[in-house]
PDB file of all heavy atoms in Angstrom:
ATOM      1  N   LEU B1428      13.337  83.604  66.924  1.00 82.00           N
ATOM      2  CA  LEU B1428      11.998  82.767  66.675  1.00 82.00           C
ATOM      3  C   LEU B1428      11.836  81.841  67.882  1.00 82.00           C
ATOM      4  O   LEU B1428      10.678  81.466  68.241  1.00 82.00           O
ATOM      5  CB  LEU B1428      12.216  81.909  65.370  1.00 82.00           C
ATOM      6  CG  LEU B1428      12.231  82.921  64.270  1.00 82.00           C
ATOM      7  CD1 LEU B1428      12.328  81.929  62.878  1.00 82.00           C
ATOM      8  CD2 LEU B1428      10.945  83.658  63.896  1.00 82.00           C
ATOM      9  N   LYS B1429      12.953  81.215  68.492  1.00 79.00           N
ATOM     10  CA  LYS B1429      12.734  80.254  69.504  1.00 79.00           C
ATOM     11  C   LYS B1429      13.735  80.603  70.695  1.00 79.00           C
ATOM     12  O   LYS B1429      14.618  80.021  70.739  1.00 79.00           O
ATOM     13  CB  LYS B1429      13.053  78.860  69.061  1.00 79.00           C
ATOM     14  CG  LYS B1429      12.025  78.170  68.247  1.00 79.00           C
ATOM     15  CD  LYS B1429      12.306  76.681  68.208  1.00 79.00           C
ATOM     16  CE  LYS B1429      11.891  76.210  66.819  1.00 79.00           C
ATOM     17  NZ  LYS B1429      12.210  74.762  66.584  1.00 79.00           N
ATOM     18  N   PRO B1430      13.526  81.749  71.270  1.00 77.00           N
ATOM     19  CA  PRO B1430      14.525  82.087  72.302  1.00 77.00           C
ATOM     20  C   PRO B1430      14.627  81.097  73.566  1.00 77.00           C
ATOM     21  O   PRO B1430      13.518  80.686  73.950  1.00 77.00           O
ATOM     22  CB  PRO B1430      13.994  83.491  72.710  1.00 77.00           C
ATOM     23  CG  PRO B1430      12.748  83.574  72.471  1.00 77.00           C
ATOM     24  CD  PRO B1430      12.383  82.751  71.252  1.00 77.00           C
ATOM     25  N   THR B1431      15.683  80.693  73.880  1.00 76.00           N
ATOM     26  CA  THR B1431      15.892  79.887  74.936  1.00 76.00           C
ATOM     27  C   THR B1431      15.911  80.793  76.225  1.00 76.00           C
ATOM     28  O   THR B1431      15.970  81.957  76.169  1.00 76.00           O
ATOM     29  CB  THR B1431      17.342  79.206  74.931  1.00 76.00           C
ATOM     30  OG1 THR B1431      18.219  80.246  74.997  1.00 76.00           O
ATOM     31  CG2 THR B1431      17.383  78.295  73.743  1.00 76.00           C
ATOM     32  N   PRO B1432      15.685  80.196  77.478  1.00 74.00           N
ATOM     33  CA  PRO B1432      15.600  80.957  78.641  1.00 74.00           C
ATOM     34  C   PRO B1432      16.908  81.812  78.783  1.00 74.00           C
ATOM     35  O   PRO B1432      16.678  83.030  79.278  1.00 74.00           O
ATOM     36  CB  PRO B1432      15.499  80.031  79.830  1.00 74.00           C
ATOM     37  CG  PRO B1432      14.883  78.759  79.055  1.00 74.00           C
ATOM     38  CD  PRO B1432      15.318  78.728  77.761  1.00 74.00           C
ATOM     39  N   SER B1433      18.077  81.322  78.481  1.00 74.00           N
ATOM     40  CA  SER B1433      19.151  82.205  78.703  1.00 74.00           C
ATOM     41  C   SER B1433      19.164  83.388  77.840  1.00 74.00           C
ATOM     42  O   SER B1433      19.671  84.447  78.059  1.00 74.00           O
ATOM     43  CB  SER B1433      20.546  81.512  78.555  1.00 74.00           C
ATOM     44  OG  SER B1433      20.527  80.697  77.413  1.00 74.00           O
ATOM     45  N   ASP B1434      18.615  83.154  76.541  1.00 74.00           N
ATOM     46  CA  ASP B1434      18.609  84.343  75.687  1.00 74.00           C
ATOM     47  C   ASP B1434      17.607  85.503  76.162  1.00 74.00           C
ATOM     48  O   ASP B1434      17.918  86.609  76.215  1.00 74.00           O
ATOM     49  CB  ASP B1434      18.060  83.924  74.355  1.00 74.00           C
ATOM     50  CG  ASP B1434      19.143  82.939  73.576  1.00 74.00           C
ATOM     51  OD1 ASP B1434      20.171  83.210  73.856  1.00 74.00           O
ATOM     52  OD2 ASP B1434      18.574  82.094  72.816  1.00 74.00           O
ATOM     53  N   LYS B1435      16.534  84.933  76.836  1.00 75.00           N
ATOM     54  CA  LYS B1435      15.571  85.899  77.268  1.00 75.00           C
ATOM     55  C   LYS B1435      16.134  86.750  78.370  1.00 75.00           C
ATOM     56  O   LYS B1435      15.958  87.896  78.636  1.00 75.00           O
ATOM     57  CB  LYS B1435      14.168  85.274  77.788  1.00 75.00           C
ATOM     58  CG  LYS B1435      13.455  84.596  76.658  1.00 75.00           C
ATOM     59  CD  LYS B1435      12.192  83.969  77.114  1.00 75.00           C
ATOM     60  CE  LYS B1435      11.650  83.019  76.239  1.00 75.00           C
ATOM     61  NZ  LYS B1435      10.713  82.084  76.805  1.00 75.00           N
ATOM     62  N   ILE B1436      16.909  86.009  79.274  1.00 75.00           N
ATOM     63  CA  ILE B1436      17.539  86.674  80.320  1.00 75.00           C
ATOM     64  C   ILE B1436      18.620  87.715  80.004  1.00 75.00           C
ATOM     65  O   ILE B1436      18.648  88.771  80.567  1.00 75.00           O
ATOM     66  CB  ILE B1436      18.072  85.603  81.387  1.00 75.00           C
ATOM     67  CG1 ILE B1436      16.911  84.944  81.988  1.00 75.00           C
ATOM     68  CG2 ILE B1436      19.010  86.279  82.414  1.00 75.00           C
ATOM     69  CD1 ILE B1436      17.278  83.653  82.799  1.00 75.00           C
TER      70      ILE B1436
END
Side-chain angles (χ1 to χ4, degrees):
Chain B
L1428 296 177
K1429 279 198 217 171
T1431 59
S1433 50
D1434 293 329
K1435 292 185 201 160
I1436 290 167

